[in-house]
Amino acid sequence: MAMFWIQFILVLGAVLIGIRRGGVALGLIGGLGVALLTLGFRSAPSEPPIAVMLIILAVVTASATLQVAGGLDYLVQLTERLLRSQPKYVTILAPLSTFFLTVCCGTGHAVYALLPVISDVALKTGIRPERPMAISSVASQMGITASPVAAAVTFFLGFAAKAGYPVTLIDIIMVTMPAGVIGVLAAAAWSFNRGKDLDKDAEFQARLEDPDFRDSLNASVTTLDQKISTTAKFSVLLFFAGVGTIIFLASFPELLPLAANKKPVAMTTVVQFVMLAFGAFIMFAGNVKAKDIAHSSVFTAGMIAVVSIFGIAWMSDTFISANKAFLVDNIGIMVKIAPWTFAIATFCISAFVKSQAATLAITLPLGLALGLPVPLLLGLMPASYAYFFFAFYPSDLAAINMDRTGTTRIGKYLLNHSFMIPGLIGVSTSTVVAYVISRMIF
């Protein structure tokens, strides 16, 4: 038992130091943890998550190519047209838009260009910007577990394949998509009347006495005057064609050639070559320069995710494999009796590990070691998003900075910020719904 707790403290310390350092540090220190567990505690290292890393690499490269080609700008512009056509419903339409924008692109980074537009639409309609801004930031991250090309989903797909359970991409989306939409709608419904209207907000009215503040509110914020090229629009069509191809092949695996084991080629492999292929199509169609892809924000964020998952997943799996018997004997019974406790553990880890894919890399092997079935783990997947809890995530900070009225903010007591209640409502609702759907389907 003493050896288990020493190793546990080592792993936990590595995670905390990695989080504190940020960026690729989580992966580097995870690799250091593997070295210490192997050489210091004589634990056999598990297999690194190569398939998952390759999937993320392929999807991120295609998404980055789409960004450089101007495709993300086009999607943001289409979303702005929708919001400005129905401004009274911005508190509902904005979070749904950011949710599906993430679903389509596989990354929540596209939301940054949309946040100032959401704030502007709300302000010009007389709606307190905090209402759509906070839930829109939360919804953009909730969309990750419902995206067929997001790192978290592809990680779960690879994990299920390694575990020997036939969960397909369609199975995952059938659970997480409706759960995510219902969670977003529940949080948006609560946000519809949150806070005081601007004309009744004494703090806001006092700030209006400052002429510089009044002038800042009159600034024009729009993407509609941005000219979108035909190739940018075509790049979006190509990217969606790639996603559609993956979904089509996942629905009809009999169309795939047989691998050496006489079974259709694994979907984890299909995702890799399809997304790389369509990334190449976008590159040729948009005459995109390769160096621009490597320097894009989407590519940079994706590479950080790859390195983080490489180290942290490898370390976690090595630790769990070495202590599987202890975990099953001491924790397994409790988790089987009350599986919702595993969702809480996942949520708590995600509050510090600001990546859903990295959170799942830590928790899924543990859940499997504790005897939880893969369908149950799928139902608890939405709980992997909790980094709104401390409101330090870039999309939350961007929402605060882009709300010119100052209504979206971090409170005096740190945790009483604009994102807390929408996040708790959205994640808890989507987790419950996903759990119910997974129990009904499997």
Side-chain angles (χ1 to χ4, degrees), residues 52 55 64 75 77 104 127 131 170 188 216 246 256 261 267 273-274 278 303 316 319 338 344 350 359 361 395 413:
V52 173
I55 291 173
L75 289 174
Q77 191 176 89
C104 294
I127 296 172
R131 296 170 182 172
I170 301 299
S216 70
I246 292 172
L256 293 168
N261 58 2
M267 281 305 301
F273 64 70
V274 168
F278 278 89
M303 292 307 99
S316 300
F319 167 72
I344 294 176
S350 177
T359 299
S395 64
Y413 303 104

mmCIF file of all heavy atoms in Angstrom, residues 52 55 64 75 77 104 127 131 170 188 216 246 256 261 267 273-274 278 303 316 319 338 344 350 359 361 395 413:
data_model
loop_
_atom_site.group_PDB
_atom_site.id
_atom_site.type_symbol
_atom_site.label_atom_id
_atom_site.label_comp_id
_atom_site.label_asym_id
_atom_site.label_seq_id
_atom_site.Cartn_x
_atom_site.Cartn_y
_atom_site.Cartn_z
ATOM 1 N N VAL A 52 -3.694 7.411 -31.047
ATOM 2 C CA VAL A 52 -4.437 8.618 -30.679
ATOM 3 C C VAL A 52 -3.664 9.871 -31.092
ATOM 4 O O VAL A 52 -4.238 10.831 -31.626
ATOM 5 C CB VAL A 52 -4.717 8.635 -29.167
ATOM 6 C CG1 VAL A 52 -5.346 9.957 -28.750
ATOM 7 C CG2 VAL A 52 -5.610 7.483 -28.788
ATOM 8 N N ILE A 55 -3.996 10.419 -34.787
ATOM 9 C CA ILE A 55 -5.321 10.929 -35.147
ATOM 10 C C ILE A 55 -5.382 12.435 -34.899
ATOM 11 O O ILE A 55 -5.824 13.215 -35.763
ATOM 12 C CB ILE A 55 -6.421 10.215 -34.336
ATOM 13 C CG1 ILE A 55 -6.552 8.755 -34.765
ATOM 14 C CG2 ILE A 55 -7.765 10.920 -34.521
ATOM 15 C CD1 ILE A 55 -7.498 7.960 -33.897
ATOM 16 N N ALA A 64 -5.916 23.231 -39.292
ATOM 17 C CA ALA A 64 -5.013 24.373 -39.447
ATOM 18 C C ALA A 64 -4.963 24.825 -40.901
ATOM 19 O O ALA A 64 -4.902 26.031 -41.198
ATOM 20 C CB ALA A 64 -3.615 24.006 -38.951
ATOM 21 N N LEU A 75 -16.833 30.723 -41.770
ATOM 22 C CA LEU A 75 -17.799 30.154 -40.834
ATOM 23 C C LEU A 75 -18.225 31.197 -39.796
ATOM 24 O O LEU A 75 -19.410 31.276 -39.436
ATOM 25 C CB LEU A 75 -17.187 28.938 -40.129
ATOM 26 C CG LEU A 75 -16.994 27.685 -40.988
ATOM 27 C CD1 LEU A 75 -16.250 26.614 -40.198
ATOM 28 C CD2 LEU A 75 -18.321 27.145 -41.477
ATOM 29 N N GLN A 77 -18.268 34.441 -40.257
ATOM 30 C CA GLN A 77 -19.105 35.423 -40.944
ATOM 31 C C GLN A 77 -20.533 34.900 -41.126
ATOM 32 O O GLN A 77 -21.508 35.655 -40.949
ATOM 33 C CB GLN A 77 -18.498 35.765 -42.306
ATOM 34 C CG GLN A 77 -19.140 36.970 -42.972
ATOM 35 C CD GLN A 77 -18.461 37.334 -44.275
ATOM 36 O OE1 GLN A 77 -18.824 36.830 -45.328
ATOM 37 N NE2 GLN A 77 -17.458 38.210 -44.194
ATOM 38 N N CYS A 104 -18.081 21.463 -35.852
ATOM 39 C CA CYS A 104 -17.654 21.424 -37.248
ATOM 40 C C CYS A 104 -16.134 21.448 -37.395
ATOM 41 O O CYS A 104 -15.575 20.740 -38.250
ATOM 42 C CB CYS A 104 -18.246 22.606 -38.011
ATOM 43 S SG CYS A 104 -20.047 22.558 -38.183
ATOM 44 N N ILE A 127 -29.543 43.988 -24.688
ATOM 45 C CA ILE A 127 -29.461 42.792 -23.855
ATOM 46 C C ILE A 127 -28.151 42.809 -23.078
ATOM 47 O O ILE A 127 -27.100 43.154 -23.627
ATOM 48 C CB ILE A 127 -29.548 41.514 -24.726
ATOM 49 C CG1 ILE A 127 -30.921 41.437 -25.397
ATOM 50 C CG2 ILE A 127 -29.286 40.255 -23.904
ATOM 51 C CD1 ILE A 127 -31.048 40.325 -26.418
ATOM 52 N N ARG A 131 -25.176 37.700 -20.544
ATOM 53 C CA ARG A 131 -26.086 36.579 -20.747
ATOM 54 C C ARG A 131 -25.645 35.671 -21.890
ATOM 55 O O ARG A 131 -25.488 34.465 -21.684
ATOM 56 C CB ARG A 131 -27.509 37.114 -20.983
ATOM 57 C CG ARG A 131 -28.076 37.846 -19.761
ATOM 58 C CD ARG A 131 -29.373 38.569 -20.081
ATOM 59 N NE ARG A 131 -29.863 39.309 -18.902
ATOM 60 C CZ ARG A 131 -30.883 40.156 -18.923
ATOM 61 N NH1 ARG A 131 -31.524 40.393 -20.075
ATOM 62 N NH2 ARG A 131 -31.262 40.768 -17.825
ATOM 63 N N ILE A 170 -19.960 6.789 -34.766
ATOM 64 C CA ILE A 170 -21.395 7.093 -34.769
ATOM 65 C C ILE A 170 -21.975 6.891 -33.375
ATOM 66 O O ILE A 170 -22.798 7.697 -32.906
ATOM 67 C CB ILE A 170 -22.139 6.205 -35.778
ATOM 68 C CG1 ILE A 170 -21.576 6.418 -37.191
ATOM 69 C CG2 ILE A 170 -23.630 6.509 -35.757
ATOM 70 C CD1 ILE A 170 -21.712 7.823 -37.695
ATOM 71 N N ALA A 188 -28.477 28.017 -21.411
ATOM 72 C CA ALA A 188 -28.920 29.241 -22.081
ATOM 73 C C ALA A 188 -30.259 29.706 -21.523
ATOM 74 O O ALA A 188 -30.498 30.905 -21.370
ATOM 75 C CB ALA A 188 -29.022 29.011 -23.586
ATOM 76 N N SER A 216 -16.427 53.954 -26.418
ATOM 77 C CA SER A 216 -16.006 52.566 -26.664
ATOM 78 C C SER A 216 -17.192 51.672 -26.994
ATOM 79 O O SER A 216 -17.068 50.708 -27.754
ATOM 80 C CB SER A 216 -15.248 52.015 -25.456
ATOM 81 O OG SER A 216 -16.117 51.817 -24.349
ATOM 82 N N ILE A 246 -15.665 10.454 -43.257
ATOM 83 C CA ILE A 246 -15.391 9.654 -42.058
ATOM 84 C C ILE A 246 -16.682 9.073 -41.491
ATOM 85 O O ILE A 246 -16.766 7.883 -41.154
ATOM 86 C CB ILE A 246 -14.670 10.515 -41.004
ATOM 87 C CG1 ILE A 246 -13.268 10.872 -41.484
ATOM 88 C CG2 ILE A 246 -14.602 9.785 -39.661
ATOM 89 C CD1 ILE A 246 -12.562 11.885 -40.601
ATOM 90 N N LEU A 256 -14.909 -0.686 -46.501
ATOM 91 C CA LEU A 256 -13.469 -0.594 -46.262
ATOM 92 C C LEU A 256 -12.772 -1.901 -46.631
ATOM 93 O O LEU A 256 -13.365 -2.982 -46.514
ATOM 94 C CB LEU A 256 -13.208 -0.273 -44.790
ATOM 95 C CG LEU A 256 -13.661 1.110 -44.310
ATOM 96 C CD1 LEU A 256 -13.602 1.179 -42.790
ATOM 97 C CD2 LEU A 256 -12.787 2.194 -44.918
ATOM 98 N N ASN A 261 -6.009 -8.820 -40.095
ATOM 99 C CA ASN A 261 -6.807 -9.675 -39.212
ATOM 100 C C ASN A 261 -8.153 -10.055 -39.820
ATOM 101 O O ASN A 261 -9.033 -10.555 -39.125
ATOM 102 C CB ASN A 261 -7.033 -8.983 -37.867
ATOM 103 C CG ASN A 261 -7.725 -7.633 -38.030
ATOM 104 O OD1 ASN A 261 -8.071 -7.217 -39.133
ATOM 105 N ND2 ASN A 261 -7.914 -6.936 -36.921
ATOM 106 N N MET A 267 -11.261 2.295 -37.786
ATOM 107 C CA MET A 267 -11.643 3.683 -37.996
ATOM 108 C C MET A 267 -10.582 4.643 -37.486
ATOM 109 O O MET A 267 -10.459 5.769 -37.974
ATOM 110 C CB MET A 267 -12.975 3.969 -37.314
ATOM 111 C CG MET A 267 -14.201 3.487 -38.079
ATOM 112 S SD MET A 267 -14.281 4.113 -39.781
ATOM 113 C CE MET A 267 -14.305 5.888 -39.529
ATOM 114 N N PHE A 273 -5.943 8.933 -42.429
ATOM 115 C CA PHE A 273 -5.633 9.179 -43.843
ATOM 116 C C PHE A 273 -6.701 10.034 -44.544
ATOM 117 O O PHE A 273 -6.389 10.776 -45.471
ATOM 118 C CB PHE A 273 -5.360 7.873 -44.618
ATOM 119 C CG PHE A 273 -6.494 6.901 -44.755
ATOM 120 C CD1 PHE A 273 -7.590 7.175 -45.551
ATOM 121 C CD2 PHE A 273 -6.441 5.659 -44.130
ATOM 122 C CE1 PHE A 273 -8.620 6.256 -45.704
ATOM 123 C CE2 PHE A 273 -7.454 4.738 -44.266
ATOM 124 C CZ PHE A 273 -8.558 5.039 -45.062
ATOM 125 N N VAL A 274 -7.945 9.964 -44.073
ATOM 126 C CA VAL A 274 -8.984 10.796 -44.690
ATOM 127 C C VAL A 274 -8.736 12.279 -44.384
ATOM 128 O O VAL A 274 -8.791 13.126 -45.285
ATOM 129 C CB VAL A 274 -10.386 10.372 -44.205
ATOM 130 C CG1 VAL A 274 -11.434 11.416 -44.606
ATOM 131 C CG2 VAL A 274 -10.762 9.021 -44.795
ATOM 132 N N PHE A 278 -7.886 15.198 -47.157
ATOM 133 C CA PHE A 278 -8.693 16.389 -47.389
ATOM 134 C C PHE A 278 -7.945 17.660 -46.988
ATOM 135 O O PHE A 278 -8.197 18.724 -47.543
ATOM 136 C CB PHE A 278 -10.033 16.272 -46.668
ATOM 137 C CG PHE A 278 -11.040 15.475 -47.435
ATOM 138 C CD1 PHE A 278 -11.132 14.103 -47.280
ATOM 139 C CD2 PHE A 278 -11.883 16.093 -48.349
ATOM 140 C CE1 PHE A 278 -12.051 13.360 -48.003
ATOM 141 C CE2 PHE A 278 -12.802 15.364 -49.077
ATOM 142 C CZ PHE A 278 -12.895 13.994 -48.911
ATOM 143 N N MET A 303 -0.528 20.873 -31.546
ATOM 144 C CA MET A 303 0.739 20.224 -31.231
ATOM 145 C C MET A 303 0.974 20.180 -29.723
ATOM 146 O O MET A 303 1.528 19.212 -29.196
ATOM 147 C CB MET A 303 1.894 20.942 -31.921
ATOM 148 C CG MET A 303 1.884 20.807 -33.435
ATOM 149 S SD MET A 303 1.781 19.089 -34.024
ATOM 150 C CE MET A 303 0.038 18.939 -34.396
ATOM 151 N N SER A 316 0.048 8.041 -16.886
ATOM 152 C CA SER A 316 -1.148 7.574 -16.172
ATOM 153 C C SER A 316 -1.391 6.097 -16.417
ATOM 154 O O SER A 316 -1.700 5.340 -15.490
ATOM 155 C CB SER A 316 -2.366 8.392 -16.615
ATOM 156 O OG SER A 316 -2.181 9.763 -16.339
ATOM 157 N N PHE A 319 1.147 3.954 -14.514
ATOM 158 C CA PHE A 319 0.823 3.917 -13.090
ATOM 159 C C PHE A 319 -0.366 2.996 -12.824
ATOM 160 O O PHE A 319 -0.342 2.170 -11.897
ATOM 161 C CB PHE A 319 0.518 5.332 -12.601
ATOM 162 C CG PHE A 319 -0.131 5.381 -11.244
ATOM 163 C CD1 PHE A 319 0.594 5.081 -10.099
ATOM 164 C CD2 PHE A 319 -1.472 5.718 -11.114
ATOM 165 C CE1 PHE A 319 -0.013 5.118 -8.839
ATOM 166 C CE2 PHE A 319 -2.076 5.758 -9.865
ATOM 167 C CZ PHE A 319 -1.352 5.455 -8.722
ATOM 168 N N ALA A 338 -21.744 3.267 -7.201
ATOM 169 C CA ALA A 338 -22.129 4.653 -7.500
ATOM 170 C C ALA A 338 -21.238 5.186 -8.628
ATOM 171 O O ALA A 338 -20.278 5.929 -8.369
ATOM 172 C CB ALA A 338 -22.007 5.519 -6.258
ATOM 173 N N ILE A 344 -17.652 12.737 -11.086
ATOM 174 C CA ILE A 344 -17.169 13.829 -10.234
ATOM 175 C C ILE A 344 -15.641 13.867 -10.245
ATOM 176 O O ILE A 344 -15.034 14.943 -10.314
ATOM 177 C CB ILE A 344 -17.694 13.657 -8.796
ATOM 178 C CG1 ILE A 344 -19.217 13.818 -8.772
ATOM 179 C CG2 ILE A 344 -17.031 14.653 -7.853
ATOM 180 C CD1 ILE A 344 -19.834 13.583 -7.415
ATOM 181 N N SER A 350 -10.465 17.681 -14.609
ATOM 182 C CA SER A 350 -10.549 18.615 -15.730
ATOM 183 C C SER A 350 -10.452 20.068 -15.286
ATOM 184 O O SER A 350 -9.997 20.922 -16.048
ATOM 185 C CB SER A 350 -11.858 18.407 -16.492
ATOM 186 O OG SER A 350 -11.995 19.330 -17.543
ATOM 187 N N THR A 359 -7.669 15.123 -20.058
ATOM 188 C CA THR A 359 -8.436 14.612 -18.921
ATOM 189 C C THR A 359 -8.861 13.175 -19.158
ATOM 190 O O THR A 359 -8.726 12.311 -18.279
ATOM 191 C CB THR A 359 -9.685 15.485 -18.688
ATOM 192 O OG1 THR A 359 -9.272 16.820 -18.386
ATOM 193 C CG2 THR A 359 -10.515 14.939 -17.540
ATOM 194 N N ALA A 361 -7.440 11.116 -21.124
ATOM 195 C CA ALA A 361 -6.229 10.281 -21.135
ATOM 196 C C ALA A 361 -5.856 9.829 -19.734
ATOM 197 O O ALA A 361 -5.282 8.742 -19.544
ATOM 198 C CB ALA A 361 -5.071 11.055 -21.768
ATOM 199 N N SER A 395 -10.675 31.128 -23.676
ATOM 200 C CA SER A 395 -11.974 31.567 -24.203
ATOM 201 C C SER A 395 -12.753 32.349 -23.153
ATOM 202 O O SER A 395 -13.470 33.313 -23.487
ATOM 203 C CB SER A 395 -12.784 30.364 -24.686
ATOM 204 O OG SER A 395 -13.092 29.492 -23.615
ATOM 205 N N TYR A 413 -14.720 37.250 -5.275
ATOM 206 C CA TYR A 413 -14.298 36.050 -4.544
ATOM 207 C C TYR A 413 -13.804 34.945 -5.486
ATOM 208 O O TYR A 413 -13.862 33.766 -5.149
ATOM 209 C CB TYR A 413 -15.447 35.551 -3.680
ATOM 210 C CG TYR A 413 -15.941 36.597 -2.711
ATOM 211 C CD1 TYR A 413 -17.128 37.287 -2.945
ATOM 212 C CD2 TYR A 413 -15.189 36.942 -1.586
ATOM 213 C CE1 TYR A 413 -17.573 38.268 -2.073
ATOM 214 C CE2 TYR A 413 -15.620 37.930 -0.712
ATOM 215 C CZ TYR A 413 -16.813 38.586 -0.961
ATOM 216 O OH TYR A 413 -17.228 39.556 -0.107
#
